[in-house]
Amino acid sequence: MTNQGRVLYSVGYFGYLKEGQMQELFEESLTDLEDELAVSKAIKGEVRHYMEGLEEKFDQNLGRHFSYRHAREMDRLVAFVYKAVIRRYFKEYLPPLNHVPLVFIALGSYGREQLSVHSDIDLMIVYKEVGGYNLLEMIEKMIHIGWDCGLKISHRVHEVGELLEVSRSDITIKTSFLEARFICGSKILYMETEARIEQIRKDNKEGFLREKYLEYLERHKKFEASMEPNIKEGRGGIRDANMLFWVLYVLYNVKNPKEMEGQLYDEERYRDFRSSLEFLFRLRDAMHLVNQKKNDTLNLELLPFVAKKLGMESQDSSKDQFGLAKKTLLCMHEIEHFCAYVLRQIYRRHGLLPAYSWRERKEARQEGGLFLFKSSSSERLYARGALKRFRIGEFLGKLLELETIPEMSEGVVERLHRSKLTLSSKKERERFKELLLKPQSHRFFRALYEAGKLGEVLPPLAKIRHLPQFDGYHAYPVDLHTLKALEILEALERDSHPFLSELYGSLDQESLLLLKLLVLFHDAGKGRSRDHHLVGETLFRSWSKRFLLSEESRERGGLLVRFHTLMSSVAQKQDIYSEEVLLEFVSRLKEPENLDLLLLLTYADVSAVSPGRFNKFIEKLLLELYKNAKATFEKRELLGDATRKLKRLDLLERSAEFLALPSPLRQKIRQIASPLFFIKLTPAQIAELSKKALGVEDFCFEVENQDFLSVSILRRQELNLGYLLGKLSIFNVASMEIFKMFDGIKYFHIEFLEKAEEDEMERLREIISESFDMTRHPKAPKPTILKKDIIFEPNHSESYAEIRLNTKNQKGILAHVASVFDAFGIDIASAKIMTIKERTRDWFLIEKNEAFFRHQGELVKAIAINDKK
């Protein structure tokens, strides 16, 4: 190859050879390039060097107009291959290209000049049978050279006279013909081809457009809105814009939708649509470059790399990913609803959709250019004059006159989009409140969502518009999840679930209104830096005043927004038969009525996460938890401590000492069951004690002897409490606290009325160490305990039994009781020691373990001692 041939790899349209330079090179280097292998090698080098520079070219202006420029570069390379083949066949007798009856035409995204990096180069090669030309062999040679050079050519070959017949064989083929664009070859033959395409455009317009509309609707059903959208085929994807292009071309012979400004849509609406579409083109090219292959689904794992490729790079990569996902969803939403409105308008104008009779339209006519069409299965509201605007108060008033809220057409959505919908007056808020109580009110909110006005009517929801959720759990962005939850809730009006529908139907008006507001607000706190439960609670308490709810309902609503995931979490992650779990759960809810609302809210919330998420297993867990919680509410005597525990736990969680602890340790502390642990100890004591407990292998202890003797023990290993108390029976016990903590660790704190002598301290520490030997037996004075002084409550709760002593204060009482428990293998969960007027009032909470059930009949008899009766 000559030096001139090597220049081929250095300059051009994106930094390589220009068309004129290539032509000159071919003419001057014919001898060197005559060999087919040399031609292929030269073109392959051009393609390779072009492809290697794509990322750099994309990065130069962040992909703006990249698809157009890429399509044009492919035109140059295709023309290059064609000229090489022509020169090979004709050599120095090369005729003018217009005399060779071949034309190369771009189809599909290539034809629309929207070609992405790894998309196929869709070619149609049209020829005309003329004697003396070996056209099919030339075409085959060109395709093979193109493939060999690395061009992803997808082709179809047709004789010009068969184009109309071929287009009638398949709607996809006809669609591709509508996107035809000249690349190279005979311009005379292309003019004839254009005439055929014009025939195709006019051929069976109605049948073609009806079939494309059904295809469009089926595609929307297949590709639901998703956290990982398909930006080509999904709702609001590039294919929706293609659909608009096909319809405008077939009906109006318009290839640029901008030409229809002022007729079908205004300049501002079209500008928003076009801007959104251009972003999707850039996004698709970035996805192809990042993935290094054709990929039209914005997978979550691609987000950080695609965001960087598009220049959305900042200090916070997670914020960049949220920004990219949100913008993608926003752009697809804009495209979907612009196309839906324009297509519906066109199809109705041209009679391509089922039409209503004059009588039906007369019966459906409402005030303000509205029409309400009813069928046996649905009601749908239409609007004439979509460029007009609604007054929100009047529109709400109109809807309130209807028995149920109807579905709303694209025309109604377009009117809402153009209207100011702020609920500024008391009357408007009253009407909004009434509308919430209407059956199928979710249809109104869905129309607001489609119009982009949900955050205008309810400002707290503005922050969640198209907000992605990267939790691996939710399939939809936050706003769409919220609307689906409301729709699922209102389906209970139609007896969609035997038990839940009955519960839903039993709600009074105030509770029903509260429940629907809860569904709308439950995720309103997302998208902030703080916990969305707490933010949502604040938003609800603030904004619910506007809807004239009672103070009681606002308090209940705030509480339920704060704990809206509690029921699902407890049902799926905790023991729903554990009394401690149930007590804590119902203590947070405070009232049984709140449990009813939370069950319905949880059902709607979980069901709206993704299709099939609310299954029989989850349903069974939730209903079982509901039943158990209802029964727990009746145990009022047990709820006092549990409620106090929660108050103290809330105080603890706001303390600096608690917040300074590692997150895993904070979670362990939350799971401590004993209410007394939180009631008795301060946040500082709890934090310090928990840090010590975390490092305990077998046991550790501390002895203090300032004003009085006190012993603190943390143990994982079994403690011989009877022995310990027996050896220390020379001191009078003032109080004893026993708490089960976490990881099998138990905490003992014993305070005595006296102070020990300094020379006794070493022996005290020895006694404590010896107390972990379970073979030792205490030697202590035997007190007198009468049976009548013992109160035994084996059914104190499902998990615990209670023993109370009210007897004369004597040394050795605690040692004796602890020895009985040790002998029987019974575990003390908690204890309180109190002495008043020479009488001891001791209280023990003991676990109902296997040993308890084996010995419960012997307990009172074993504890009673020196009872002469």
Side-chain angles (χ1 to χ4, degrees):
M1 187 174 290
T2 65
N3 290 333
Q4 213 169 3
R6 293 189 184 93
V7 177
L8 188 62
Y9 303 137
S10 60
V11 291
Y13 185 73
F14 270 173
Y16 308 102
L17 271 171
K18 296 181 180 177
E19 182 70 24
Q21 291 172 307
M22 282 195 300
Q23 183 66 28
E24 182 182 344
L25 176 66
F26 261 78
E27 290 172 356
E28 294 182 2
S29 307
L30 179 61
T31 303
D32 292 329
L33 295 175
E34 188 174 321
D35 180 78
E36 182 179 328
L37 183 60
V39 172
S40 296
K41 187 176 180 181
I43 300 172
K44 186 182 295 186
E46 177 75 356
V47 172
R48 184 179 70 250
H49 282 279
Y50 166 69
M51 297 301 287
E52 286 173 354
L54 279 179
E55 294 236 16
E56 181 183 349
K57 292 299 176 183
F58 183 94
D59 294 342
Q60 284 177 2
N61 63 355
L62 301 177
R64 292 178 181 87
H65 311 299
F66 183 85
S67 295
Y68 168 79
R69 297 175 68 186
H70 182 55
R72 285 300 188 178
E73 188 66 11
M74 291 301 103
D75 289 356
R76 185 180 72 87
L77 294 172
V78 168
F80 194 3
V81 174
Y82 174 52
K83 289 175 183 178
V85 172
I86 288 290
R87 186 162 291 281
R88 178 184 183 280
Y89 274 90
F90 291 97
K91 297 183 171 56
E92 64 268 25
Y93 300 105
L94 182 68
L97 291 183
N98 280 337
H99 293 177
V100 181
L102 275 177
V103 63
F104 292 82
I105 296 170
L107 301 178
S109 61
Y110 183 30
R112 297 188 303 271
E113 298 176 303
Q114 298 167 358
L115 185 65
S116 196
V117 178
H118 292 290
S119 296
D120 290 347
I121 301 169
D122 290 330
L123 277 181
M124 178 167 70
I125 305 170
V126 179
Y127 68 95
K128 191 170 186 177
E129 289 286 1
V130 176
Y133 291 101
N134 197 356
L135 297 174
L136 294 179
E137 184 180 329
M138 290 169 58
I139 292 169
E140 184 179 358
K141 180 61 65 180
M142 183 203 159
I143 296 300
H144 281 289
I145 290 177
W147 285 342
D148 186 56
C149 293
L151 297 175
K152 294 178 63 178
I153 294 174
S154 173
H155 68 287
R156 56 176 48 256
V157 180
H158 296 294
E159 205 280 329
V160 67
E162 68 181 16
L163 290 177
L164 179 60
E165 182 181 349
V166 169
S167 74
R168 289 171 174 170
S169 67
D170 191 309
I171 190 173
T172 304
I173 295 175
K174 178 172 181 175
T175 303
S176 68
F177 285 177
L178 297 177
E179 299 165 323
R181 179 176 61 82
F182 175 80
I183 300 174
C184 61
S186 171
K187 292 184 178 178
I188 296 171
L189 181 57
Y190 182 68
M191 290 172 64
E192 188 175 344
T193 302
E194 273 195 310
R196 302 284 182 176
I197 290 173
E198 180 64 12
Q199 276 186 296
I200 292 168
R201 182 181 75 81
K202 294 177 178 178
D203 183 54
N204 189 20
K205 287 184 182 180
E206 291 188 2
F208 171 78
L209 291 174
R210 284 197 175 99
E211 196 168 341
K212 292 305 289 184
Y213 197 72
L214 290 175
E215 186 183 272
Y216 163 81
L217 295 177
E218 283 301 314
R219 182 168 47 78
H220 275 210
K221 288 179 184 176
K222 181 179 179 181
F223 292 94
E224 269 277 6
S226 165
M227 286 299 305
E228 295 185 311
N230 185 308
I231 65 168
K232 182 178 179 182
E233 301 290 346
R235 286 173 169 266
I238 293 169
R239 191 66 78 202
D240 277 13
N242 297 158
M243 174 69 180
L244 182 60
F245 166 86
W246 300 325
V247 171
L248 291 178
Y249 180 50
V250 168
L251 286 176
Y252 301 102
N253 198 21
V254 166
K255 286 198 172 184
N256 187 346
K258 186 173 177 59
E259 296 177 37
M260 300 305 292
E261 276 185 13
Q263 299 178 56
L264 295 174
Y265 34 81
D266 60 29
E267 181 182 355
E268 181 183 356
R269 200 79 166 91
Y270 176 72
R271 185 176 65 245
D272 292 343
F273 159 75
R274 186 66 205 179
S275 174
S276 297
L277 185 58
E278 286 173 356
F279 175 76
L280 289 196
F281 289 147
R282 291 174 56 218
L283 175 61
R284 182 179 60 167
D285 289 327
M287 288 162 58
H288 282 211
L289 287 170
V290 165
N291 218 33
Q292 297 185 345
K293 64 180 181 180
K294 184 176 180 180
N295 175 49
D296 295 321
T297 299
L298 185 58
N299 305 112
L300 296 181
E301 60 267 23
L302 288 180
L303 281 173
F305 309 103
V306 176
K308 183 177 181 181
K309 179 61 67 178
L310 289 170
M312 302 173 72
E313 192 173 12
S314 69
Q315 299 284 342
D316 188 346
S317 60
S318 63
K319 191 174 289 186
D320 300 337
Q321 296 170 50
F322 264 89
L324 173 58
K326 187 169 185 175
K327 183 167 184 179
T328 302
L329 295 170
L330 179 62
C331 289
M332 294 183 74
H333 182 273
E334 178 65 36
I335 293 169
E336 177 186 356
H337 295 292
F338 175 82
C339 292
Y341 163 65
V342 175
L343 289 171
R344 195 85 181 183
Q345 188 180 3
I346 293 172
Y347 270 68
R348 288 212 170 277
R349 181 180 294 182
H350 290 270
L352 294 170
L353 291 174
Y356 293 102
S357 67
W358 176 85
R359 183 181 298 278
E360 287 173 322
R361 290 198 299 273
K362 182 179 179 181
E363 291 176 353
R365 188 185 301 276
Q366 310 286 314
E367 294 179 3
L370 296 175
F371 295 83
L372 181 66
F373 291 99
K374 300 180 181 181
S375 69
S376 58
S377 59
S378 67
E379 294 184 356
R380 190 170 176 84
L381 190 68
Y382 290 86
R384 177 179 291 172
L387 300 184
K388 297 178 181 178
R389 290 173 170 79
F390 285 123
R391 292 178 185 271
I392 183 61
E394 293 177 3
F395 184 59
L396 290 174
K398 183 70 234 173
L399 293 178
L400 289 175
E401 294 173 7
L402 308 177
E403 186 176 338
T404 186
I405 304 300
E407 295 177 356
M408 301 190 195
S409 70
E410 292 81 359
V412 174
V413 170
E414 186 65 16
R415 271 218 208 175
L416 289 169
H417 176 76
R418 296 171 181 277
S419 303
K420 183 179 179 182
L421 302 179
T422 307
L423 298 173
S424 52
S425 70
K426 182 178 178 180
K427 184 177 181 181
E428 289 168 350
R429 292 193 292 271
E430 279 280 12
R431 287 182 171 178
F432 178 83
K433 176 180 172 181
E434 290 179 47
L435 182 135
L436 266 173
L437 293 170
K438 283 284 204 181
Q440 306 302 311
S441 68
H442 72 270
R443 292 171 176 167
F444 171 70
F445 293 100
R446 184 70 187 218
L448 292 178
Y449 162 79
E450 292 171 354
K453 292 288 186 172
L454 190 59
E456 189 172 311
V457 174
L458 293 173
L461 304 191
K463 191 80 173 178
I464 65 170
R465 187 184 185 202
H466 304 305
L467 183 68
Q469 306 188 78
F470 300 142
D471 54 10
Y473 179 62
H474 289 85
Y476 310 109
V478 182
D479 53 352
L480 191 54
H481 162 77
T482 298
L483 295 178
K484 286 182 176 291
L486 183 59
E487 181 179 359
I488 289 165
L489 178 75
E490 292 190 328
L492 293 174
E493 296 167 356
R494 302 187 298 277
D495 295 326
S496 61
H497 186 286
F499 177 75
L500 295 175
S501 291
E502 182 180 349
L503 183 61
Y504 182 84
S506 69
L507 299 177
D508 57 37
Q509 294 282 286
E510 180 85 358
S511 296
L512 181 59
L513 175 64
L514 175 59
L515 178 59
K516 290 190 178 183
L517 284 172
L518 286 173
V519 173
L520 289 171
F521 276 80
H522 76 281
D523 275 346
K526 288 190 173 179
R528 276 85 166 176
S529 57
R530 290 173 58 219
D531 185 337
H532 83 276
H533 299 83
L534 302 178
V535 176
E537 177 185 13
T538 301
L539 289 171
F540 184 87
R541 290 182 187 277
S542 171
W543 280 86
S544 59
K545 294 178 183 178
R546 293 170 174 255
F547 307 117
L548 309 176
L549 288 177
S550 66
E551 180 65 29
E552 179 187 356
S553 290
R554 292 203 299 273
E555 284 297 315
R556 292 175 68 195
L559 176 78
L560 290 172
V561 170
R562 183 178 184 183
F563 294 119
H564 72 268
T565 59
L566 179 64
M567 192 169 198
S568 174
S569 177
V570 170
Q572 297 182 67
K573 298 178 183 178
Q574 298 189 49
D575 181 0
I576 61 174
Y577 301 99
S578 162
E579 191 168 56
E580 291 89 348
V581 170
L582 291 169
L583 283 170
E584 183 169 334
F585 175 62
V586 301
S587 295
R588 291 195 181 278
L589 298 183
K590 297 182 178 179
E591 299 294 337
E593 294 77 14
N594 291 340
L595 177 63
D596 295 341
L597 294 182
L598 184 59
L599 175 63
L600 294 168
L601 175 59
T602 303
Y603 162 72
D605 187 18
V606 174
S607 299
V609 164
S610 60
R613 180 65 191 179
F614 188 84
N615 52 39
K616 289 292 183 183
F617 175 70
I618 292 177
E619 176 186 7
K620 181 180 178 181
L621 286 176
L622 287 176
L623 292 182
E624 193 68 15
L625 174 57
Y626 175 81
K627 181 188 74 173
N628 294 344
K630 275 286 188 182
T632 304
F633 266 116
E634 297 175 5
K635 300 177 181 179
R636 293 291 175 180
E637 72 282 359
L638 300 179
L639 287 176
D641 280 350
T643 303
R644 288 197 298 276
K645 171 193 170 181
L646 290 179
K647 288 181 179 178
R648 297 285 298 194
L649 184 57
D650 289 341
L651 179 65
L652 172 68
E653 291 187 332
R654 293 195 294 271
S655 69
E657 296 90 348
F658 183 79
L659 294 173
L661 297 175
S663 179
L665 181 54
R666 294 202 301 267
Q667 187 58 31
K668 289 177 184 289
I669 294 171
R670 290 187 187 100
Q671 293 171 354
I672 295 174
S674 172
L676 286 176
F677 181 81
F678 298 96
I679 295 169
K680 287 272 189 179
L681 303 180
T682 67
Q685 289 173 326
I686 290 172
E688 187 62 30
L689 189 60
S690 299
K691 285 190 287 186
K692 289 179 181 177
L694 204 59
V696 170
E697 293 186 8
D698 295 320
F699 64 88
C700 69
F701 62 85
E702 290 181 359
V703 179
E704 292 187 5
N705 192 38
Q706 293 182 356
D707 298 326
F708 52 83
L709 176 65
S710 69
V711 177
S712 298
I713 300 172
L714 283 166
R715 64 85 174 156
R716 195 186 298 271
Q717 182 179 328
E718 197 65 37
L719 173 67
N720 192 336
L721 183 60
Y723 175 80
L724 174 64
L725 292 173
K727 297 297 286 185
L728 299 182
S729 60
I730 57 172
F731 301 102
N732 287 303
V733 176
S735 67
M736 180 173 69
E737 294 168 349
I738 303 174
F739 302 124
K740 290 186 73 171
M741 293 184 67
F742 46 76
D743 298 340
I745 293 172
K746 213 166 190 179
Y747 172 63
F748 298 79
H749 182 72
I750 310 168
E751 292 184 352
F752 299 88
L753 293 174
E754 301 90 357
K755 182 177 178 180
E757 298 296 333
E758 284 303 317
D759 60 357
E760 296 177 309
M761 295 301 291
E762 186 61 34
R763 179 54 186 152
L764 277 172
R765 292 186 176 88
E766 290 177 4
I767 290 171
I768 295 171
S769 298
E770 292 169 354
S771 298
F772 290 93
D773 181 354
M774 298 304 293
T775 64
R776 293 177 179 269
H777 300 288
K779 293 179 180 179
K782 298 294 184 183
T784 298
I785 302 176
L786 307 179
K787 284 186 180 179
K788 68 180 183 63
D789 295 337
I790 304 170
I791 300 173
F792 177 41
E793 292 286 352
N795 297 317
H796 174 74
S797 69
E798 292 180 12
S799 304
Y800 301 107
E802 179 188 48
I803 290 181
R804 282 178 282 158
L805 298 181
N806 187 344
T807 189
K808 182 181 177 181
N809 186 30
Q810 306 158 71
K811 289 185 178 182
I813 289 179
L814 284 180
H816 168 66
V817 174
S819 296
V820 171
F821 291 154
D822 287 342
F824 287 163
I826 293 173
D827 207 2
I828 303 175
S830 191
K832 295 178 185 176
I833 309 300
M834 184 169 60
T835 301
I836 301 176
K837 294 182 179 180
E838 297 300 317
R839 291 192 70 81
T840 185
R841 292 170 172 81
D842 299 343
W843 172 86
F844 303 91
L845 198 64
I846 56 179
E847 291 188 8
K848 289 184 176 179
N849 55 19
E850 183 182 349
F852 167 80
F853 288 110
R854 191 164 58 247
H855 297 289
Q856 65 173 318
E858 309 167 54
L859 268 175
V860 172
K861 185 177 179 181
I863 293 172
I865 186 171
N866 293 328
D867 186 348
K868 296 178 181 179
K869 293 182 181 180

